[in-house]
Amino acid sequence: MEKGTTPITRESGALHATAFLRLDSSGNVLRSPCELCTARDYSVCRHITGKDFEQLFPHGPHVQIRKAGTTIFLQGEPFGSVFIVQNGWLLVHKLFEDGRRQIIRFVLPGDLIGFEGNEVEGMSYSAEAITDVALCGIRYSLFFKTCAASPQLAMNFATTVTREALAAWNHVGALGQQRAQGRVANLLLDLHHRVVARCGTEPAAIQLPINQIHIASATGLTSVHVCRTLKQMRQVGLLEFRKGQLVLLDTERLAEIAQLDPAVPLDGLQKMN
Amino acid sequence: MEKGTTPITRESGALHATAFLRLDSSGNVLRSPCELCTARDYSVCRHITGKDFEQLFPHGPHVQIRKAGTTIFLQGEPFGSVFIVQNGWLLVHKLFEDGRRQIIRFVLPGDLIGFEGNEVEGMSYSAEAITDVALCGIRYSLFFKTCAASPQLAMNFATTVTREALAAWNHVGALGQQRAQGRVANLLLDLHHRVVARCGTEPAAIQLPINQIHIASATGLTSVHVCRTLKQMRQVGLLEFRKGQLVLLDTERLAEIAQLDPAVPLDGLQKMN
DNA sequence: CGTTTGGTTGACACGGGTCAAAAGGGGTGG
DNA sequence: CCACCCCTTTTGACCCGTGTCAACCAAACG
């Protein structure tokens, strides 16, 4: 996480800010620093707000630290706690019989995790810490009770989940209709946006704690093919990605490949293997 | 929609009932007929409950009818109304530049539709009526206000959205890790469950108002290949699907193919082209 | 140092896409 | 009743993107 020095006004920040814009009585956007992550403006954060946070933990937050690689919950387990991530990255994935896995989403500081299931069937997915993480947990029963007593918290929860659903639907679109470059572009752009929204500046390079294997299981490709795809994208000057360091070189074109239709050859981009 | 005559106790019903189970003061499950669809027991329905419904429409529901094929909203449009589907099927899809589309989800009676976007960016997806539909709409602003005043409604909304997110993540898993048979099995089993949950009995054949082209754009395959895949599945006795009439012949094996790992050859199922 | 883990590359196989054509309805108008 | 059209399903031939397998390399690590 990097510290911000200027207020966030770029669209990359606004992308995720939308759902948390708060208006004061005269209709102006309320801005205040976030208590949960380092963002200067909590409207850019992707999480239940600091106020909700106080409500959930009236006697102060109960933070727990987990080492990188730790399993937070396993699919099939009983429905337990909801966590707010204070620090570090996690991933949620679905495990298959033969050991393959589909990464469902990456979870960044400020995000909520642990609602991936229900009381009857238990957790539908597993979660794992990618880096060391600091989690702020609350029993689901208490969380639910607190929500039921506070429409504001309940609506913030609903908004958070809606945002996750939108992200998931986007993911469905990418996996269903796009080829390797499009899927990778989608993922990296999304992560880039989410990371940049947390720093005040737009750094040339950002650090992602993931490797090609992560990219592979998130995009439904093999790591071998992710390697080839990244090579292509590097060669045509789209981006750099080495040791988790990501540099977007041609954001325009990347956005085209990600949002529009990458299956139609974009004049000479393809075929450079 | 068919009328139920017996209380729903099968697991196929229970699958979707989980989130709406209500307990009375002594912890027993509350059961009552649903005012929205024909289910005998509203705990099996996938929608905001009848009580919420009254809250949303204190002067009676404002039902509107739309013809099959009608667009309900288009991606990019301003964020408008939330609808509860009373009758008929809809689909939500993402449109791509070249006319291809990814079906994000099918929407059945009792489901909520219209929250696929936010106030700032507008709708992220388009929705279209597959059959003639009856929709019960409410302006998003009013819906939001009502939710903010009622934690119960807000939580039911959150629960509804959570269920959609879980379905979406499942969809991601299928598109990312499964081959044609697995994707088709996933889709058809899901639709079968949802339809059967609405009738009291388990009919041998159910009617789906979709064709192979729908299946194709929901699974990320071409309609040509869906045809081939259905042929394979028919030939090995997994299911029948003709003119929208679906018969599951080997639910066990279908569930294996759908839930477990269909990329690993299941002794002799594959290769029958 | 050897060991492990992740990245890179090449050869080859195969699932599914693409293109094209034909076969079946179902509807409509003559 | 037939002719015609439109739309969906079906089938075949062929191609290409991606998976698979295997080898090798570089960096990190004990």
Side-chain angles (χ1 to χ4, degrees):
Chain A
M1 293 208 300
E2 326 216 1
K3 279 203 246 50
T5 50
T6 55
I8 300 199
T9 50
R10 277 164 290 87
E11 14 78 286
S12 59
L15 194 67
H16 294 304
T18 56
F20 273 115
L21 287 182
R22 296 298 158 78
L23 306 182
D24 65 17
S25 50
S26 16
N28 297 316
V29 175
L30 272 178
R31 295 188 179 282
S32 58
C34 175
E35 305 88 343
L36 254 184
C37 66
T38 53
R40 292 270 151 175
D41 177 352
Y42 84 65
S43 74
V44 303
C45 308
R46 293 166 50 92
H47 50 73
I48 300 254
T49 66
K51 229 175 173 169
D52 302 327
F53 196 69
E54 289 163 21
Q55 196 171 14
L56 288 171
F57 303 102
H59 309 303
H62 313 287
V63 179
Q64 52 183 289
I65 308 290
R66 303 290 191 96
K67 283 278 170 211
T70 316
T71 296
I72 309 301
F73 51 83
L74 211 55
Q75 76 195 40
E77 259 184 20
F79 200 53
S81 293
V82 176
F83 302 94
I84 297 172
V85 180
Q86 288 203 304
N87 217 328
W89 284 42
L90 301 94
L91 59 83
V92 176
H93 57 184
K94 178 168 184 170
L95 300 167
F96 289 83
E97 295 283 297
D98 64 348
R100 269 186 319 160
R101 62 181 191 176
Q102 174 66 40
I103 293 183
I104 298 298
R105 62 188 191 110
F106 291 98
V107 184
L108 274 58
D111 287 345
L112 217 57
I113 189 174
F115 57 93
E116 291 90 352
N118 62 44
E119 296 91 335
V120 179
E121 293 169 20
M123 305 311 295
S124 303
Y125 305 96
S126 304
E128 193 178 298
I130 301 180
T131 65
D132 292 354
V133 294
L135 300 179
C136 207
I138 179 172
R139 291 256 102 210
Y140 187 76
S141 51
L142 176 58
F143 178 70
F144 197 91
K145 211 184 295 169
T146 315
C147 280
S150 159
Q152 187 57 51
L153 176 58
M155 274 316 279
N156 282 352
F157 178 54
T159 305
T160 298
V161 179
T162 304
R163 203 185 308 105
E164 291 301 338
L166 284 170
W169 289 329
N170 220 41
H171 201 174
V172 167
L175 295 188
Q177 301 296 334
Q178 308 198 165
R179 330 219 127 271
Q181 284 203 7
R183 300 188 194 181
V184 171
N186 249 299
L187 173 63
L188 293 181
L189 279 176
D190 175 51
L191 292 177
H192 188 266
H193 280 144
R194 291 167 66 185
V195 169
V196 162
R198 285 184 174 70
C199 21
T201 60
E202 170 127 14
I206 62 170
Q207 197 65 29
L208 308 178
I210 62 171
N211 58 32
Q212 296 186 0
I213 300 174
H214 289 118
I215 297 178
S217 42
T219 53
L221 304 166
T222 57
S223 64
V224 173
H225 201 249
V226 166
C227 179
R228 286 193 272 248
T229 304
L230 285 173
K231 185 187 173 190
Q232 283 175 35
M233 299 176 86
R234 220 183 298 128
Q235 283 177 340
V236 297
L238 285 171
L239 52 78
E240 290 282 334
F241 181 75
R242 245 192 292 275
K243 296 181 210 294
Q245 185 170 276
L246 174 67
V247 186
L248 303 187
L249 295 174
D250 191 341
T251 321
E252 296 256 323
R253 188 100 73 125
L254 272 172
E256 264 177 47
I257 295 178
Q259 310 294 341
L260 309 185
D261 185 24
V264 170
L266 302 197
D267 42 285
L269 264 189
Q270 268 69 0
K271 306 290 177 52
M272 304 212 56
N273 196 12
Chain B
M1 291 206 301
E2 327 215 1
K3 279 201 247 58
T5 51
T6 55
I8 300 200
T9 49
R10 278 165 290 86
E11 12 78 285
S12 58
L15 194 67
H16 294 305
T18 56
F20 274 116
L21 287 181
R22 295 299 158 77
L23 306 182
D24 64 17
S25 50
S26 15
N28 298 316
V29 176
L30 273 179
R31 296 188 179 280
S32 58
C34 176
E35 304 88 343
L36 253 185
C37 65
T38 53
R40 291 271 152 175
D41 178 351
Y42 83 65
S43 74
V44 304
C45 309
R46 293 165 51 92
H47 49 75
I48 299 251
T49 66
K51 229 172 173 172
D52 303 328
F53 195 69
E54 288 164 22
Q55 197 170 14
L56 289 170
F57 304 100
H59 308 303
H62 313 286
V63 178
Q64 52 182 290
I65 309 289
R66 303 290 192 94
K67 283 277 170 212
T70 317
T71 297
I72 309 301
F73 52 82
L74 211 56
Q75 75 194 42
E77 259 183 21
F79 200 53
S81 292
V82 176
F83 301 95
I84 297 172
V85 179
Q86 287 202 303
N87 218 329
W89 284 43
L90 301 94
L91 59 82
V92 177
H93 55 183
K94 177 168 184 169
L95 299 168
F96 289 82
E97 296 283 296
D98 63 349
R100 269 185 320 160
R101 63 179 190 176
Q102 173 67 38
I103 293 184
I104 298 299
R105 62 188 191 110
F106 291 97
V107 185
L108 273 59
D111 287 345
L112 217 56
I113 188 173
F115 58 93
E116 291 89 352
N118 62 46
E119 295 91 334
V120 179
E121 292 168 21
M123 304 311 295
S124 303
Y125 306 96
S126 304
E128 193 177 300
I130 300 180
T131 65
D132 292 354
V133 294
L135 301 178
C136 205
I138 179 172
R139 292 254 102 212
Y140 186 76
S141 50
L142 176 58
F143 178 70
F144 197 90
K145 213 185 294 169
T146 314
C147 280
S150 158
Q152 187 58 50
L153 177 57
M155 276 316 279
N156 282 352
F157 178 54
T159 305
T160 297
V161 179
T162 304
R163 203 185 309 106
E164 292 301 339
L166 285 170
W169 288 329
N170 220 40
H171 201 174
V172 167
L175 294 188
Q177 300 296 334
Q178 308 198 164
R179 330 218 125 271
Q181 285 204 6
R183 299 188 194 181
V184 171
N186 249 298
L187 174 62
L188 293 182
L189 278 177
D190 176 51
L191 292 178
H192 187 266
H193 280 144
R194 290 166 66 185
V195 169
V196 162
R198 285 184 175 69
C199 21
T201 60
E202 171 126 14
I206 62 171
Q207 197 64 29
L208 309 178
I210 62 172
N211 57 31
Q212 296 185 2
I213 300 174
H214 289 118
I215 297 179
S217 43
T219 53
L221 305 166
T222 58
S223 63
V224 173
H225 201 249
V226 166
C227 179
R228 286 193 270 248
T229 304
L230 285 174
K231 184 187 174 192
Q232 283 175 36
M233 299 176 85
R234 220 182 300 128
Q235 284 178 339
V236 296
L238 285 171
L239 52 78
E240 290 283 334
F241 181 75
R242 245 190 292 276
K243 299 181 209 293
Q245 183 170 277
L246 174 67
V247 186
L248 303 186
L249 295 175
D250 192 341
T251 322
E252 294 258 322
R253 188 103 70 127
L254 272 173
E256 263 177 50
I257 294 178
Q259 310 295 340
L260 309 186
D261 184 24
V264 170
L266 303 198
D267 42 286
L269 266 190
Q270 267 71 1
K271 304 295 176 50
M272 305 213 57
N273 197 11

